[in-house]
Amino acid sequence: MKNECSVVRDILPLYIENMVSEETGNFIKEHLEQCPDCSAEFEAMKAGMKADEVGGDFHSKLDEEVLKSMKAARKSLHKKVCRVAVIIAAIAIITCTLLHFFPVYRIFEVGQLSMGNYYSSEQIAKALYIGSASDRREAQAVLRLADKAFNDTQHTRAENEEEYGVLARYATSTDDFGDASFNEHSLELWSAHLDKNEGWIWVYYSSETFNHDGSTACGSWRIPSLWKLERNDSGEWVVVQIREHP
Ligand SMILES: [Zn+2]
């Protein structure tokens, strides 16, 4: 191989890619026209580079396909996850709403106390549906009076009965607790079921009365209680009976 041939072959790859100056290009071209060896080498190299290009295209096409299908898979997975999340949220909302109106879990608190059939199943059932909004609204007046009775620690039993009727049992009478100072309580309306002149409400309360020195005089904690209501002559609801497991 001539010295010129070796120089030409070094430059051939650049020549094929059109990356040489015009002068160098002319020099190579001229040489190839005269030198069959270099010309053959040139043809072979060109063919090889083309094959590489085609191979590269094939690979990038394959990569693109894989990438596309991965994207599609991710998209459909995302869709599925979203759909499942929506379903779970819907179930949670429906369950919460149902449990709000039908707090069936209270059967454990009420049912436990009914051992020995203290409450009838009909009475227990009244605790498992909170009742209509209007019944609950009407029952609030009774709860306000009960609230007052719970807070009362300053009157005799007779005075309390005069003031609160059946609810007097929740007041702390000075007959029994002469040193009573103040009361703390919570009172929750569980359910209200009122007919025209008669009705039942379930309430749930805790109550503690303290002496002047801060010690506990008396208390009741977490008591489910069933109150029977009747309309009096002025059309107001009054508690006429209280059922509490002894
Ligand atoms: Zn040559």
Side-chain angles (χ1 to χ4, degrees):
M1 198 173 3
K2 282 190 291 182
N3 196 25
E4 199 178 289
C5 289
S6 115
V7 173
V8 165
R9 291 194 190 181
D10 283 346
I11 305 171
L12 267 184
L14 294 174
Y15 176 73
I16 292 169
E17 299 278 356
N18 268 328
M19 287 168 77
V20 292
S21 68
E22 200 183 339
E23 210 182 342
T24 310
N26 288 336
F27 161 70
I28 304 268
K29 204 177 164 196
E30 272 168 32
H31 180 85
L32 289 178
E33 276 162 12
Q34 304 157 13
C35 176
D37 282 351
C38 282
S39 180
E41 177 72 23
F42 167 67
E43 290 303 331
M45 205 179 268
K46 212 161 70 170
M49 281 172 84
K50 224 172 211 158
D52 273 0
E53 249 168 50
V54 169
D57 274 2
F58 174 70
H59 279 120
S60 71
K61 225 174 210 163
L62 199 67
D63 287 351
E64 221 168 80
E65 286 300 317
V66 170
L67 209 68
K68 231 184 203 168
S69 75
M70 274 170 74
K71 265 185 191 163
R74 212 166 59 186
K75 211 169 172 182
S76 98
L77 181 69
H78 183 248
K79 249 186 195 165
K80 264 180 205 157
V81 168
C82 283
R83 205 172 300 154
V84 169
V86 165
I87 289 170
I88 289 173
I91 289 172
I93 289 169
I94 290 168
T95 306
C96 286
T97 308
L98 277 178
L99 283 180
H100 172 75
F101 289 106
F102 301 97
V104 287
Y105 49 87
R106 281 181 185 151
I107 195 149
F108 297 110
E109 272 161 298
V110 177
Q112 222 167 14
L113 298 170
S114 75
M115 282 185 287
N117 294 326
Y118 183 76
Y119 293 115
S120 71
S121 52
E122 197 190 343
Q123 289 171 334
I124 291 172
K126 286 189 197 320
L128 308 186
Y129 166 51
I130 64 168
S132 71
S134 68
D135 282 3
R136 295 175 63 81
R137 215 167 23 241
E138 285 190 51
Q140 290 301 334
V142 172
L143 254 67
R144 276 194 292 275
L145 185 64
D147 218 37
K148 216 172 141 199
F150 273 109
N151 274 326
D152 200 325
T153 60
Q154 305 304 326
H155 295 93
T156 64
R157 206 178 306 143
E159 286 169 334
N160 287 335
E161 273 164 18
E162 173 74 28
E163 176 77 17
Y164 308 115
V166 175
L167 291 172
R169 65 189 278 168
Y170 296 127
T172 309
S173 77
T174 49
D175 309 59
D176 300 316
F177 303 96
D179 199 34
S181 170
F182 68 98
N183 171 274
E184 279 179 0
H185 67 274
S186 66
L187 178 60
E188 185 190 345
L189 179 68
W190 264 5
S191 67
H193 303 273
L194 309 179
D195 292 334
K196 198 163 177 288
N197 293 306
E198 202 182 274
W200 294 88
I201 65 174
W202 273 100
V203 298
Y204 185 71
Y205 70 88
S206 290
S207 171
E208 187 168 9
T209 299
F210 299 90
N211 291 318
H212 285 91
D213 63 2
S215 62
T216 298
C218 57
S220 310
W221 290 269
R222 291 181 290 279
I223 312 286
S225 185
L226 180 62
W227 300 357
K228 187 183 182 192
L229 311 186
E230 275 177 20
R231 263 192 218 280
N232 64 12
D233 295 338
S234 349
E236 294 159 337
W237 289 107
V238 289
V239 183
V240 294
Q241 189 196 333
I242 290 175
R243 281 183 67 78
E244 251 171 50
H245 196 269

